Amino acid sequence: MPETDSTWYRQHFNEDYRTLYAARDDAEAELQVAFAEEQLKIRPHDRVLDLCCGHGRHLEALARRNIRATGVDLSLPLLKEALVRGSGPLLRADMRKLPFAGGTEGFSVLLNFFTSFGYFQEENDNLAVIEEIARILRPGGRFLLDLMNPHGAENPDPSSLREEGSFEIAEKRWFSAENHRVEKRIRLLDRTTGRQSEYMESVRVYPEEEICSILAGQALKVEQVFGDFEGSAHSTDSPRLVLCGVRS
């Protein structure tokens, strides 16, 4: 397979993203925020950051609970959509260098939904994200990281073809054991206009023991591990790897 562009994430999160991931909707965000609220005991007085907020669906679910969170993302198209929702302050920033103070002035809660960690080819860049999470969380601050289950990721469905409205979406997937990454090629065809677009994804996969060790190295203690947003225990068959913990 051809090598994935290391900056794929700069092109991927544009106006087509909502079509490619239409199933990741407001109803799903509502369930995930309800879970996070319960597990992290989030309250209206908390200072909350939605890291990689996308088009703001989780921010809106938080706002319905009178929790006004700050959203950060690199994608201008998605941030523009989030702005229309008006659910909280928004900033455009790289997750490796966040424009926030740390220490006692930091956030009391950090949320990172839907596999928004592990994008960078250089592992030092991924580790820089963890360092930033630790830096901007105040002592005692809580966090939630929502990652793909590494067991399923190592054996992805090699290809699929599906429809989303007037669009046809063809996907090819494979796992690179050498780099511990799930790779994906996506072809999007608008059957109404004939427009075709191609995208790629490349995400580093972390086994539970490895990611917990990385977090612990930055004073981020994982206290609970779940396999989904219904509170199920994590197993090889779980759809997700959801980590909840605290900054010591």
Side-chain angles (χ1 to χ4, degrees):
M1 291 291 183
E3 184 177 350
T4 302
D5 181 356
S6 63
T7 60
W8 63 269
Y9 53 87
R10 293 188 178 275
Q11 293 79 40
H12 184 56
F13 298 99
N14 60 17
E15 293 80 0
D16 286 332
Y17 178 78
R18 294 288 301 278
T19 299
L20 295 174
Y21 288 99
R24 306 300 183 178
D25 57 14
D26 290 355
E28 181 191 67
E30 177 67 26
L31 292 173
Q32 293 175 345
V33 165
F35 177 85
E37 180 187 29
E38 178 181 357
Q39 297 301 326
L40 302 184
K41 297 179 172 56
I42 307 174
R43 300 293 181 262
H45 66 265
D46 274 309
R47 187 174 182 226
V48 181
L49 178 67
D50 184 357
L51 181 61
C52 304
C53 66
H55 58 276
R57 59 195 179 107
H58 295 97
L59 290 173
E60 191 165 32
L62 287 162
R64 284 193 290 270
R65 291 166 166 76
N66 198 30
I67 299 167
R68 190 167 176 81
T70 298
V72 168
D73 206 282
L74 188 63
S75 167
L76 279 176
L78 295 185
L79 284 172
K80 287 178 180 178
E81 291 191 43
L83 185 63
V84 174
R85 293 176 182 255
S87 299
L90 301 166
L91 291 91
R92 182 173 186 258
D94 189 310
M95 68 175 85
R96 293 168 291 184
K97 192 173 180 61
L98 296 169
F100 303 109
T104 57
E105 297 181 8
F107 291 90
S108 57
V109 175
L110 183 141
L111 305 170
N112 183 237
F113 291 108
F114 190 34
T115 320
S116 299
F117 174 71
Y119 288 176
F120 304 109
Q121 293 283 342
E122 295 295 328
E123 189 60 10
N124 284 341
D125 287 329
N126 291 318
L127 296 179
V129 176
I130 300 299
E131 291 173 0
E132 281 292 88
I133 290 174
R135 182 185 66 79
I136 66 171
L137 263 179
R138 67 183 62 163
R142 293 93 72 201
F143 65 88
L144 181 149
L145 297 182
D146 169 27
L147 307 175
M148 67 176 75
N149 185 344
H151 301 287
E154 292 176 2
N155 296 284
D157 183 2
S159 64
S160 62
L161 182 65
R162 57 189 171 94
E163 296 180 357
E164 191 65 54
S166 65
F167 293 91
E168 180 181 275
I169 303 169
E171 297 172 304
K172 294 185 181 298
R173 309 172 189 85
W174 66 98
F175 179 72
S176 172
E178 179 182 359
N179 299 317
H180 307 285
R181 303 184 74 87
V182 172
E183 312 277 357
K184 184 192 291 188
R185 294 288 186 277
I186 306 168
R187 179 181 59 81
L188 179 69
L189 170 64
D190 186 337
R191 292 174 298 187
T192 301
T193 65
R195 179 177 68 89
Q196 295 192 54
S197 302
E198 292 190 359
Y199 299 101
M200 57 188 68
E201 296 178 4
S202 177
V203 180
R204 170 74 154 85
V205 175
Y206 293 88
E208 178 185 335
E209 297 79 7
E210 181 182 8
I211 188 62
C212 287
S213 176
I214 291 171
L215 291 166
Q218 294 297 323
L220 298 168
K221 180 183 178 182
V222 174
E223 295 185 322
Q224 294 174 295
V225 180
F226 300 98
D228 56 33
F229 282 95
E230 296 179 354
S232 301
H234 182 258
S235 71
T236 57
D237 298 324
S238 298
R240 307 296 297 168
L241 174 61
V242 183
L243 308 174
C244 296
V246 64
R247 164 80 157 86
S248 62

